[in-house]
Amino acid sequence: MRSFVEFEEEIKIESVLKLGLSGSLLATAQRLQKKIKDPDSVLLTGKDLHITLASGPEWKKEKNRIQLPVPEPDFRIDLEDPKMITQGNRTSWYSRVRQQEEMSQYVKDILGTIPNRNRIYHVSLANLTGKVGDSVATIEGK
């Protein structure tokens, strides 16, 4: 599934750098949530849907150097159909962002570096509890 989205998102600087979803991108993610048929899945709420741009020790080194305001992406974001991943005792359903190279360049434009070179940019849609912190945090593989 390919979905064109316009941006009304919000960049949040917390323990991670994340792009919060709103507008048409949020609506696309919520449509994709409906495709998850596993009875063990619990959907995340709209306010918890986001794309993590950077996290971990390398992000923490860069966090204080970030220039505000952070620009919104100037490219479209397409989300793929949901997939399931299990790491340890965590299971999540997520949609991968098709524009991986653009997302990496966007992070580099913001931070001057890419703290998580192997990150697969994605939106966690559901997990086993419905609590955002219980999702598989990092999907890697590029």
Side-chain angles (χ1 to χ4, degrees):
M1 172 179 200
R2 291 186 64 118
S3 302
F4 177 74
V5 292
E6 296 178 19
F7 287 98
E8 297 175 19
E9 286 65 48
E10 179 178 319
I11 306 295
K12 295 182 182 177
I13 302 169
E14 300 172 346
S15 59
V16 299
L17 179 64
K18 64 184 180 180
L19 175 65
L21 275 55
S22 62
S24 59
L25 184 54
L26 175 60
T28 297
Q30 290 172 324
R31 273 194 311 276
L32 291 170
Q33 284 180 313
K34 293 177 182 173
K35 291 185 170 195
I36 300 169
K37 301 300 182 197
D38 190 313
D40 293 330
S41 68
V42 181
L43 301 181
L44 299 179
T45 64
K47 69 178 179 57
D48 289 329
L49 297 175
H50 67 276
I51 300 169
T52 299
L53 302 174
S55 65
E58 294 300 317
W59 154 245
K60 289 178 180 162
K61 291 178 190 174
E62 303 298 327
K63 183 177 176 179
N64 294 326
R65 294 184 27 212
I66 198 163
Q67 299 289 318
L68 297 175
V70 175
E72 292 184 355
D74 62 356
F75 55 91
R76 70 189 235 179
I77 294 179
D78 296 316
L79 298 175
E80 295 178 353
D81 281 339
K83 295 179 184 173
M84 185 181 83
I85 184 171
T86 298
Q87 288 180 357
N89 62 350
R90 294 178 184 214
T91 298
S92 297
W93 290 261
Y94 70 96
S95 289
R96 183 180 177 276
V97 173
R98 288 190 187 270
Q99 292 78 8
Q100 295 293 308
E101 289 181 25
E102 291 90 339
M103 293 298 291
S104 290
Q105 185 60 50
Y106 176 60
V107 170
K108 187 173 183 179
D109 291 346
I110 294 169
L111 299 176
T113 186
I114 302 169
N116 313 114
R117 292 210 175 268
N118 293 324
R119 174 179 296 281
I120 300 293
Y121 299 99
H122 67 281
V123 177
S124 292
L125 301 171
N127 58 36
L128 298 176
T129 66
K131 297 176 186 172
V132 70
D134 291 342
S135 294
V136 172
T138 305
I139 298 169
E140 295 186 338
K142 289 187 181 179

PDB file of all heavy atoms in Angstrom, residues 4-12 18-28 46 49-51 70-77 106:
ATOM      1  N   PHE A   4       0.114   8.773   0.038  1.00  0.00           N
ATOM      2  CA  PHE A   4       0.725  10.089  -0.005  1.00  0.00           C
ATOM      3  C   PHE A   4       0.241  10.885   1.196  1.00  0.00           C
ATOM      4  O   PHE A   4      -0.921  10.837   1.546  1.00  0.00           O
ATOM      5  CB  PHE A   4       0.342  10.832  -1.284  1.00  0.00           C
ATOM      6  CG  PHE A   4       0.898  12.225  -1.329  1.00  0.00           C
ATOM      7  CD1 PHE A   4       2.241  12.416  -1.562  1.00  0.00           C
ATOM      8  CD2 PHE A   4       0.091  13.317  -1.105  1.00  0.00           C
ATOM      9  CE1 PHE A   4       2.764  13.698  -1.589  1.00  0.00           C
ATOM     10  CE2 PHE A   4       0.603  14.604  -1.132  1.00  0.00           C
ATOM     11  CZ  PHE A   4       1.956  14.781  -1.381  1.00  0.00           C
ATOM     12  N   VAL A   5       1.165  11.582   1.838  1.00  0.00           N
ATOM     13  CA  VAL A   5       0.775  12.344   3.018  1.00  0.00           C
ATOM     14  C   VAL A   5       1.304  13.768   2.941  1.00  0.00           C
ATOM     15  O   VAL A   5       2.347  14.021   2.370  1.00  0.00           O
ATOM     16  CB  VAL A   5       1.281  11.681   4.313  1.00  0.00           C
ATOM     17  CG1 VAL A   5       0.573  10.376   4.558  1.00  0.00           C
ATOM     18  CG2 VAL A   5       2.766  11.463   4.287  1.00  0.00           C
ATOM     19  N   GLU A   6       0.565  14.663   3.513  1.00  0.00           N
ATOM     20  CA  GLU A   6       1.010  16.032   3.699  1.00  0.00           C
ATOM     21  C   GLU A   6       1.422  16.166   5.148  1.00  0.00           C
ATOM     22  O   GLU A   6       0.977  15.414   6.003  1.00  0.00           O
ATOM     23  CB  GLU A   6      -0.121  16.998   3.376  1.00  0.00           C
ATOM     24  CG  GLU A   6      -0.528  16.936   1.921  1.00  0.00           C
ATOM     25  CD  GLU A   6      -1.672  17.865   1.611  1.00  0.00           C
ATOM     26  OE1 GLU A   6      -1.918  18.797   2.393  1.00  0.00           O
ATOM     27  OE2 GLU A   6      -2.324  17.649   0.588  1.00  0.00           O
ATOM     28  N   PHE A   7       2.274  17.139   5.452  1.00  0.00           N
ATOM     29  CA  PHE A   7       2.813  17.225   6.797  1.00  0.00           C
ATOM     30  C   PHE A   7       2.118  18.255   7.659  1.00  0.00           C
ATOM     31  O   PHE A   7       1.928  19.382   7.261  1.00  0.00           O
ATOM     32  CB  PHE A   7       4.315  17.544   6.747  1.00  0.00           C
ATOM     33  CG  PHE A   7       5.094  16.376   6.299  1.00  0.00           C
ATOM     34  CD1 PHE A   7       5.488  16.253   4.990  1.00  0.00           C
ATOM     35  CD2 PHE A   7       5.401  15.365   7.183  1.00  0.00           C
ATOM     36  CE1 PHE A   7       6.187  15.149   4.565  1.00  0.00           C
ATOM     37  CE2 PHE A   7       6.100  14.260   6.776  1.00  0.00           C
ATOM     38  CZ  PHE A   7       6.494  14.159   5.456  1.00  0.00           C
ATOM     39  N   GLU A   8       1.760  17.831   8.831  1.00  0.00           N
ATOM     40  CA  GLU A   8       1.311  18.683   9.914  1.00  0.00           C
ATOM     41  C   GLU A   8       1.887  18.074  11.184  1.00  0.00           C
ATOM     42  O   GLU A   8       1.309  18.163  12.243  1.00  0.00           O
ATOM     43  CB  GLU A   8      -0.217  18.698  10.000  1.00  0.00           C
ATOM     44  CG  GLU A   8      -0.894  19.267   8.790  1.00  0.00           C
ATOM     45  CD  GLU A   8      -2.397  19.139   8.873  1.00  0.00           C
ATOM     46  OE1 GLU A   8      -2.940  18.954   9.969  1.00  0.00           O
ATOM     47  OE2 GLU A   8      -3.039  19.227   7.830  1.00  0.00           O
ATOM     48  N   GLU A   9       3.031  17.387  11.050  1.00  0.00           N
ATOM     49  CA  GLU A   9       3.595  16.644  12.155  1.00  0.00           C
ATOM     50  C   GLU A   9       4.344  17.557  13.108  1.00  0.00           C
ATOM     51  O   GLU A   9       4.584  18.714  12.827  1.00  0.00           O
ATOM     52  CB  GLU A   9       4.535  15.552  11.626  1.00  0.00           C
ATOM     53  CG  GLU A   9       3.814  14.386  11.022  1.00  0.00           C
ATOM     54  CD  GLU A   9       3.034  14.730   9.780  1.00  0.00           C
ATOM     55  OE1 GLU A   9       3.550  15.373   8.885  1.00  0.00           O
ATOM     56  OE2 GLU A   9       1.855  14.348   9.718  1.00  0.00           O
ATOM     57  N   GLU A  10       4.736  16.981  14.198  1.00  0.00           N
ATOM     58  CA  GLU A  10       5.428  17.718  15.228  1.00  0.00           C
ATOM     59  C   GLU A  10       6.693  16.955  15.594  1.00  0.00           C
ATOM     60  O   GLU A  10       6.659  15.766  15.845  1.00  0.00           O
ATOM     61  CB  GLU A  10       4.503  17.815  16.445  1.00  0.00           C
ATOM     62  CG  GLU A  10       5.084  18.522  17.609  1.00  0.00           C
ATOM     63  CD  GLU A  10       4.081  18.609  18.753  1.00  0.00           C
ATOM     64  OE1 GLU A  10       2.899  18.853  18.487  1.00  0.00           O
ATOM     65  OE2 GLU A  10       4.516  18.408  19.879  1.00  0.00           O
ATOM     66  N   ILE A  11       7.826  17.665  15.594  1.00  0.00           N
ATOM     67  CA  ILE A  11       9.090  17.072  16.002  1.00  0.00           C
ATOM     68  C   ILE A  11       9.201  17.214  17.513  1.00  0.00           C
ATOM     69  O   ILE A  11       9.022  18.301  18.051  1.00  0.00           O
ATOM     70  CB  ILE A  11      10.286  17.786  15.332  1.00  0.00           C
ATOM     71  CG1 ILE A  11      10.137  17.834  13.828  1.00  0.00           C
ATOM     72  CG2 ILE A  11      11.598  17.146  15.759  1.00  0.00           C
ATOM     73  CD1 ILE A  11      10.153  16.504  13.141  1.00  0.00           C
ATOM     74  N   LYS A  12       9.501  16.105  18.195  1.00  0.00           N
ATOM     75  CA  LYS A  12       9.625  16.123  19.644  1.00  0.00           C
ATOM     76  C   LYS A  12      11.027  15.701  20.032  1.00  0.00           C
ATOM     77  O   LYS A  12      11.547  14.712  19.524  1.00  0.00           O
ATOM     78  CB  LYS A  12       8.602  15.191  20.293  1.00  0.00           C
ATOM     79  CG  LYS A  12       7.176  15.644  20.068  1.00  0.00           C
ATOM     80  CD  LYS A  12       6.196  14.746  20.753  1.00  0.00           C
ATOM     81  CE  LYS A  12       4.774  15.220  20.457  1.00  0.00           C
ATOM     82  NZ  LYS A  12       3.770  14.358  21.038  1.00  0.00           N
ATOM     83  N   LYS A  18      11.772  12.297  17.825  1.00  0.00           N
ATOM     84  CA  LYS A  18      10.692  11.638  17.103  1.00  0.00           C
ATOM     85  C   LYS A  18       9.824  12.621  16.341  1.00  0.00           C
ATOM     86  O   LYS A  18       9.688  13.782  16.711  1.00  0.00           O
ATOM     87  CB  LYS A  18       9.847  10.786  18.036  1.00  0.00           C
ATOM     88  CG  LYS A  18       9.101  11.524  19.115  1.00  0.00           C
ATOM     89  CD  LYS A  18       8.396  10.513  20.021  1.00  0.00           C
ATOM     90  CE  LYS A  18       7.628  11.176  21.117  1.00  0.00           C
ATOM     91  NZ  LYS A  18       6.962  10.200  21.974  1.00  0.00           N
ATOM     92  N   LEU A  19       9.256  12.085  15.278  1.00  0.00           N
ATOM     93  CA  LEU A  19       8.320  12.809  14.435  1.00  0.00           C
ATOM     94  C   LEU A  19       6.937  12.301  14.789  1.00  0.00           C
ATOM     95  O   LEU A  19       6.608  11.152  14.498  1.00  0.00           O
ATOM     96  CB  LEU A  19       8.642  12.535  12.957  1.00  0.00           C
ATOM     97  CG  LEU A  19       7.705  13.105  11.906  1.00  0.00           C
ATOM     98  CD1 LEU A  19       7.733  14.626  11.930  1.00  0.00           C
ATOM     99  CD2 LEU A  19       8.102  12.596  10.522  1.00  0.00           C
ATOM    100  N   GLY A  20       6.150  13.124  15.477  1.00  0.00           N
ATOM    101  CA  GLY A  20       4.789  12.742  15.840  1.00  0.00           C
ATOM    102  C   GLY A  20       3.895  12.780  14.613  1.00  0.00           C
ATOM    103  O   GLY A  20       4.089  13.592  13.714  1.00  0.00           O
ATOM    104  N   LEU A  21       2.925  11.889  14.566  1.00  0.00           N
ATOM    105  CA  LEU A  21       2.024  11.805  13.420  1.00  0.00           C
ATOM    106  C   LEU A  21       0.747  12.595  13.681  1.00  0.00           C
ATOM    107  O   LEU A  21       0.213  12.576  14.781  1.00  0.00           O
ATOM    108  CB  LEU A  21       1.639  10.349  13.132  1.00  0.00           C
ATOM    109  CG  LEU A  21       2.593   9.538  12.276  1.00  0.00           C
ATOM    110  CD1 LEU A  21       3.994   9.525  12.820  1.00  0.00           C
ATOM    111  CD2 LEU A  21       2.079   8.135  12.109  1.00  0.00           C
ATOM    112  N   SER A  22       0.296  13.269  12.637  1.00  0.00           N
ATOM    113  CA  SER A  22      -0.998  13.947  12.681  1.00  0.00           C
ATOM    114  C   SER A  22      -1.492  14.048  11.237  1.00  0.00           C
ATOM    115  O   SER A  22      -0.823  13.606  10.309  1.00  0.00           O
ATOM    116  CB  SER A  22      -0.870  15.332  13.334  1.00  0.00           C
ATOM    117  OG  SER A  22      -0.015  16.161  12.580  1.00  0.00           O
ATOM    118  N   GLY A  23      -2.669  14.602  11.069  1.00  0.00           N
ATOM    119  CA  GLY A  23      -3.219  14.804   9.728  1.00  0.00           C
ATOM    120  C   GLY A  23      -3.322  13.523   8.936  1.00  0.00           C
ATOM    121  O   GLY A  23      -3.666  12.466   9.462  1.00  0.00           O
ATOM    122  N   SER A  24      -2.993  13.601   7.657  1.00  0.00           N
ATOM    123  CA  SER A  24      -3.168  12.458   6.769  1.00  0.00           C
ATOM    124  C   SER A  24      -2.210  11.313   7.078  1.00  0.00           C
ATOM    125  O   SER A  24      -2.559  10.147   6.862  1.00  0.00           O
ATOM    126  CB  SER A  24      -3.050  12.885   5.304  1.00  0.00           C
ATOM    127  OG  SER A  24      -1.798  13.467   5.060  1.00  0.00           O
ATOM    128  N   LEU A  25      -1.022  11.592   7.597  1.00  0.00           N
ATOM    129  CA  LEU A  25      -0.104  10.514   7.959  1.00  0.00           C
ATOM    130  C   LEU A  25      -0.650   9.724   9.145  1.00  0.00           C
ATOM    131  O   LEU A  25      -0.593   8.493   9.161  1.00  0.00           O
ATOM    132  CB  LEU A  25       1.292  11.059   8.274  1.00  0.00           C
ATOM    133  CG  LEU A  25       2.378  10.031   8.570  1.00  0.00           C
ATOM    134  CD1 LEU A  25       2.493   8.990   7.458  1.00  0.00           C
ATOM    135  CD2 LEU A  25       3.711  10.719   8.796  1.00  0.00           C
ATOM    136  N   LEU A  26      -1.235  10.408  10.095  1.00  0.00           N
ATOM    137  CA  LEU A  26      -1.881   9.735  11.225  1.00  0.00           C
ATOM    138  C   LEU A  26      -3.051   8.882  10.723  1.00  0.00           C
ATOM    139  O   LEU A  26      -3.201   7.725  11.118  1.00  0.00           O
ATOM    140  CB  LEU A  26      -2.372  10.753  12.253  1.00  0.00           C
ATOM    141  CG  LEU A  26      -3.177  10.203  13.429  1.00  0.00           C
ATOM    142  CD1 LEU A  26      -2.366   9.205  14.237  1.00  0.00           C
ATOM    143  CD2 LEU A  26      -3.660  11.352  14.307  1.00  0.00           C
ATOM    144  N   ALA A  27      -3.858   9.430   9.829  1.00  0.00           N
ATOM    145  CA  ALA A  27      -4.995   8.690   9.284  1.00  0.00           C
ATOM    146  C   ALA A  27      -4.525   7.440   8.536  1.00  0.00           C
ATOM    147  O   ALA A  27      -5.137   6.367   8.655  1.00  0.00           O
ATOM    148  CB  ALA A  27      -5.822   9.594   8.364  1.00  0.00           C
ATOM    149  N   THR A  28      -3.444   7.549   7.795  1.00  0.00           N
ATOM    150  CA  THR A  28      -2.885   6.391   7.088  1.00  0.00           C
ATOM    151  C   THR A  28      -2.447   5.324   8.076  1.00  0.00           C
ATOM    152  O   THR A  28      -2.750   4.141   7.906  1.00  0.00           O
ATOM    153  CB  THR A  28      -1.700   6.816   6.197  1.00  0.00           C
ATOM    154  OG1 THR A  28      -2.181   7.722   5.210  1.00  0.00           O
ATOM    155  CG2 THR A  28      -1.053   5.620   5.536  1.00  0.00           C
ATOM    156  N   GLY A  46      -3.627   7.136  18.863  1.00  0.00           N
ATOM    157  CA  GLY A  46      -3.137   8.119  17.902  1.00  0.00           C
ATOM    158  C   GLY A  46      -2.049   9.014  18.453  1.00  0.00           C
ATOM    159  O   GLY A  46      -1.092   9.333  17.758  1.00  0.00           O
ATOM    160  N   LEU A  49       1.430   7.341  18.176  1.00  0.00           N
ATOM    161  CA  LEU A  49       1.991   6.971  16.882  1.00  0.00           C
ATOM    162  C   LEU A  49       3.046   7.987  16.458  1.00  0.00           C
ATOM    163  O   LEU A  49       2.790   9.199  16.452  1.00  0.00           O
ATOM    164  CB  LEU A  49       0.887   6.870  15.831  1.00  0.00           C
ATOM    165  CG  LEU A  49      -0.167   5.795  16.088  1.00  0.00           C
ATOM    166  CD1 LEU A  49      -1.281   5.881  15.047  1.00  0.00           C
ATOM    167  CD2 LEU A  49       0.449   4.405  16.111  1.00  0.00           C
ATOM    168  N   HIS A  50       4.231   7.505  16.123  1.00  0.00           N
ATOM    169  CA  HIS A  50       5.345   8.383  15.756  1.00  0.00           C
ATOM    170  C   HIS A  50       6.400   7.597  14.993  1.00  0.00           C
ATOM    171  O   HIS A  50       6.371   6.369  14.960  1.00  0.00           O
ATOM    172  CB  HIS A  50       5.975   9.015  17.001  1.00  0.00           C
ATOM    173  CG  HIS A  50       6.675   8.018  17.876  1.00  0.00           C
ATOM    174  ND1 HIS A  50       5.997   7.256  18.811  1.00  0.00           N
ATOM    175  CD2 HIS A  50       7.969   7.632  17.932  1.00  0.00           C
ATOM    176  CE1 HIS A  50       6.866   6.452  19.422  1.00  0.00           C
ATOM    177  NE2 HIS A  50       8.060   6.649  18.898  1.00  0.00           N
ATOM    178  N   ILE A  51       7.344   8.327  14.412  1.00  0.00           N
ATOM    179  CA  ILE A  51       8.528   7.749  13.795  1.00  0.00           C
ATOM    180  C   ILE A  51       9.715   8.201  14.626  1.00  0.00           C
ATOM    181  O   ILE A  51       9.959   9.408  14.752  1.00  0.00           O
ATOM    182  CB  ILE A  51       8.703   8.216  12.337  1.00  0.00           C
ATOM    183  CG1 ILE A  51       7.498   7.822  11.495  1.00  0.00           C
ATOM    184  CG2 ILE A  51      10.000   7.657  11.747  1.00  0.00           C
ATOM    185  CD1 ILE A  51       7.455   8.480  10.113  1.00  0.00           C
ATOM    186  N   VAL A  70      13.173  22.764  14.582  1.00  0.00           N
ATOM    187  CA  VAL A  70      13.535  21.683  13.677  1.00  0.00           C
ATOM    188  C   VAL A  70      12.583  21.741  12.482  1.00  0.00           C
ATOM    189  O   VAL A  70      11.374  21.776  12.666  1.00  0.00           O
ATOM    190  CB  VAL A  70      13.425  20.316  14.397  1.00  0.00           C
ATOM    191  CG1 VAL A  70      13.687  19.182  13.425  1.00  0.00           C
ATOM    192  CG2 VAL A  70      14.384  20.261  15.573  1.00  0.00           C
ATOM    193  N   PRO A  71      13.128  21.758  11.275  1.00  0.00           N
ATOM    194  CA  PRO A  71      12.245  21.811  10.099  1.00  0.00           C
ATOM    195  C   PRO A  71      11.483  20.500   9.928  1.00  0.00           C
ATOM    196  O   PRO A  71      11.960  19.434  10.295  1.00  0.00           O
ATOM    197  CB  PRO A  71      13.214  22.029   8.940  1.00  0.00           C
ATOM    198  CG  PRO A  71      14.502  21.441   9.422  1.00  0.00           C
ATOM    199  CD  PRO A  71      14.535  21.677  10.908  1.00  0.00           C
ATOM    200  N   GLU A  72      10.295  20.597   9.371  1.00  0.00           N
ATOM    201  CA  GLU A  72       9.534  19.395   9.038  1.00  0.00           C
ATOM    202  C   GLU A  72      10.120  18.790   7.769  1.00  0.00           C
ATOM    203  O   GLU A  72      10.767  19.482   6.983  1.00  0.00           O
ATOM    204  CB  GLU A  72       8.063  19.755   8.840  1.00  0.00           C
ATOM    205  CG  GLU A  72       7.393  20.182  10.118  1.00  0.00           C
ATOM    206  CD  GLU A  72       5.912  20.439   9.938  1.00  0.00           C
ATOM    207  OE1 GLU A  72       5.420  20.382   8.801  1.00  0.00           O
ATOM    208  OE2 GLU A  72       5.256  20.704  10.944  1.00  0.00           O
ATOM    209  N   PRO A  73       9.915  17.516   7.542  1.00  0.00           N
ATOM    210  CA  PRO A  73      10.403  16.891   6.307  1.00  0.00           C
ATOM    211  C   PRO A  73       9.806  17.581   5.078  1.00  0.00           C
ATOM    212  O   PRO A  73       8.664  18.026   5.110  1.00  0.00           O
ATOM    213  CB  PRO A  73       9.889  15.448   6.406  1.00  0.00           C
ATOM    214  CG  PRO A  73       9.570  15.229   7.841  1.00  0.00           C
ATOM    215  CD  PRO A  73       9.189  16.564   8.402  1.00  0.00           C
ATOM    216  N   ASP A  74      10.593  17.651   4.010  1.00  0.00           N
ATOM    217  CA  ASP A  74      10.099  18.262   2.777  1.00  0.00           C
ATOM    218  C   ASP A  74       9.882  17.201   1.701  1.00  0.00           C
ATOM    219  O   ASP A  74       9.976  17.473   0.513  1.00  0.00           O
ATOM    220  CB  ASP A  74      11.052  19.350   2.287  1.00  0.00           C
ATOM    221  CG  ASP A  74      12.433  18.817   1.954  1.00  0.00           C
ATOM    222  OD1 ASP A  74      12.698  17.603   2.165  1.00  0.00           O
ATOM    223  OD2 ASP A  74      13.266  19.612   1.471  1.00  0.00           O
ATOM    224  N   PHE A  75       9.623  15.975   2.134  1.00  0.00           N
ATOM    225  CA  PHE A  75       9.357  14.875   1.216  1.00  0.00           C
ATOM    226  C   PHE A  75       8.152  14.103   1.728  1.00  0.00           C
ATOM    227  O   PHE A  75       7.777  14.210   2.893  1.00  0.00           O
ATOM    228  CB  PHE A  75      10.576  13.945   1.104  1.00  0.00           C
ATOM    229  CG  PHE A  75      11.059  13.419   2.427  1.00  0.00           C
ATOM    230  CD1 PHE A  75      10.582  12.214   2.934  1.00  0.00           C
ATOM    231  CD2 PHE A  75      11.979  14.135   3.184  1.00  0.00           C
ATOM    232  CE1 PHE A  75      11.017  11.738   4.158  1.00  0.00           C
ATOM    233  CE2 PHE A  75      12.417  13.661   4.411  1.00  0.00           C
ATOM    234  CZ  PHE A  75      11.932  12.456   4.901  1.00  0.00           C
ATOM    235  N   ARG A  76       7.546  13.336   0.851  1.00  0.00           N
ATOM    236  CA  ARG A  76       6.387  12.549   1.245  1.00  0.00           C
ATOM    237  C   ARG A  76       6.835  11.300   1.991  1.00  0.00           C
ATOM    238  O   ARG A  76       7.953  10.831   1.799  1.00  0.00           O
ATOM    239  CB  ARG A  76       5.525  12.202   0.052  1.00  0.00           C
ATOM    240  CG  ARG A  76       6.157  11.215  -0.879  1.00  0.00           C
ATOM    241  CD  ARG A  76       5.378  11.078  -2.142  1.00  0.00           C
ATOM    242  NE  ARG A  76       5.034   9.691  -2.374  1.00  0.00           N
ATOM    243  CZ  ARG A  76       4.329   9.275  -3.398  1.00  0.00           C
ATOM    244  NH1 ARG A  76       3.862  10.139  -4.271  1.00  0.00           N
ATOM    245  NH2 ARG A  76       4.064   8.014  -3.549  1.00  0.00           N
ATOM    246  N   ILE A  77       5.951  10.771   2.804  1.00  0.00           N
ATOM    247  CA  ILE A  77       6.222   9.543   3.538  1.00  0.00           C
ATOM    248  C   ILE A  77       5.153   8.529   3.164  1.00  0.00           C
ATOM    249  O   ILE A  77       3.960   8.796   3.309  1.00  0.00           O
ATOM    250  CB  ILE A  77       6.233   9.785   5.059  1.00  0.00           C
ATOM    251  CG1 ILE A  77       7.408  10.681   5.437  1.00  0.00           C
ATOM    252  CG2 ILE A  77       6.300   8.462   5.810  1.00  0.00           C
ATOM    253  CD1 ILE A  77       7.503  10.999   6.920  1.00  0.00           C
ATOM    254  N   TYR A 106      17.324  13.395   6.195  1.00  0.00           N
ATOM    255  CA  TYR A 106      16.601  14.336   7.042  1.00  0.00           C
ATOM    256  C   TYR A 106      17.222  14.390   8.435  1.00  0.00           C
ATOM    257  O   TYR A 106      17.489  15.469   8.975  1.00  0.00           O
ATOM    258  CB  TYR A 106      15.131  13.924   7.107  1.00  0.00           C
ATOM    259  CG  TYR A 106      14.268  14.736   8.022  1.00  0.00           C
ATOM    260  CD1 TYR A 106      14.101  16.099   7.839  1.00  0.00           C
ATOM    261  CD2 TYR A 106      13.589  14.133   9.080  1.00  0.00           C
ATOM    262  CE1 TYR A 106      13.287  16.849   8.681  1.00  0.00           C
ATOM    263  CE2 TYR A 106      12.784  14.868   9.917  1.00  0.00           C
ATOM    264  CZ  TYR A 106      12.632  16.221   9.714  1.00  0.00           C
ATOM    265  OH  TYR A 106      11.826  16.957  10.564  1.00  0.00           O
TER     266      TYR A 106
END
